[in-house]
Amino acid sequence: MKKTKISSESKAKRKTPRRATRAEPFRNLYQLIAQQPLFKGLNPSQLEVLAGLAMEMQFTPGEYIFRRLDPANRFYVILEGKVELELASPRDGVEPIQTVGPGDYLGWSWLFDPYSFYVSAKATEPTRGIFFYGTMLRQYCEDDHDLGYELVKRIAGAALKRFIVFQQNIPAEALDPFLASKKKEAVKSASSW
């Protein structure tokens, strides 16, 4: 059997597309991440860390991105579509509490012990987002306190805004058991007349 000699030129042609395809998704993710409101103003090395721990994901309507009490080892930034946040209660079942869309993020629980999700997140229309490995990013934040501070500051601020909206969407009696019992008493009194 005769061996064919492969020229260095043809070897280079074979390798170039592979390298280009590996670098291209990273470059695209880097650009997508840099454009997101949550990450605006981060320095290039911080954006590189984020891009290195990220990948694009797609979800179909009705698909759960995560469920309440799942391990919070990831978080997402929504690029397109809509996601409904749900809260489960033994009394009322599943209650939608908020809808989020492009530019919003999901899953801040990756930063805080006990590292489990407090709500469920379900796509309500075709949704595309950036997935980040939260456990690995948490370690980067430990090692690079500047990155950690920037992310905690940004995520805490956005979480506070989301909590305010959440609080406005939940009836007062759901947050205060005393008000709930008073409302039940008023309904019983009115129905006994």
Side-chain angles (χ1 to χ4, degrees), residues 5-16:
K5 192 172 185 179
I6 301 174
S7 72
S8 59
E9 186 178 301
S10 63
K11 282 181 186 178
K13 284 181 183 176
R14 278 196 329 212
K15 288 183 180 180
T16 304

Side-chain angles (χ1 to χ4, degrees), residues 4-190:
T4 20
K5 192 172 185 179
I6 301 174
S7 72
S8 59
E9 186 178 301
S10 63
K11 282 181 186 178
K13 284 181 183 176
R14 278 196 329 212
K15 288 183 180 180
T16 304
R18 286 189 196 147
R19 285 186 187 151
T21 57
R22 282 188 204 149
E24 195 61 35
F26 179 84
R27 195 169 17 261
N28 289 342
L29 275 171
Y30 180 96
Q31 291 167 350
L32 281 172
I33 291 166
Q35 294 168 359
Q36 299 311 306
L38 186 63
F39 305 123
K40 285 249 190 240
L42 290 181
N43 69 47
S45 66
Q46 293 168 331
L47 292 170
E48 282 179 22
V49 167
L50 290 170
L53 298 173
M55 59 196 251
E56 269 194 74
M57 302 282 292
Q58 294 187 5
F59 301 95
T60 58
E63 183 178 358
Y64 278 89
I65 298 168
F66 54 80
R67 292 181 188 265
R68 184 177 183 273
L69 301 180
D70 280 352
N73 53 12
R74 60 203 183 274
F75 79 104
Y76 302 85
V77 172
I78 301 168
L79 299 173
E80 297 171 357
K82 290 203 172 142
V83 176
E84 187 172 78
L85 302 178
E86 301 174 339
L87 184 63
S89 83
R91 186 187 66 186
D92 299 324
V94 175
E95 290 281 325
I97 55 171
Q98 189 176 10
T99 301
V100 294
D104 289 322
Y105 75 94
L106 303 169
W108 54 267
S109 301
W110 67 275
L111 265 174
F112 307 105
D113 196 14
Y115 310 115
S116 59
F117 292 115
Y118 294 94
V119 298
S120 297
K122 179 175 70 174
T124 58
E125 58 184 53
T127 299
R128 184 172 70 99
I130 303 171
F131 163 99
F132 295 89
Y133 290 97
T135 50
M136 294 168 69
L137 185 53
R138 194 168 55 239
Q139 187 57 53
Y140 274 95
C141 291
E142 285 290 327
D143 296 342
D144 178 352
H145 287 207
D146 290 339
L147 174 62
Y149 175 72
E150 281 300 320
L151 289 178
V152 168
K153 180 174 67 171
R154 292 156 187 256
I155 289 173
L160 179 60
K161 288 177 189 172
R162 184 166 299 151
F163 176 73
I164 291 167
V165 170
F166 165 74
Q167 197 174 23
Q168 292 168 347
N169 291 333
I170 298 295
E173 57 270 5
L175 298 173
D176 186 343
F178 177 74
L179 289 175
S181 65
K182 288 294 181 190
K183 186 175 180 181
K184 284 181 185 176
E185 287 175 21
V187 168
K188 281 183 186 177
S189 297

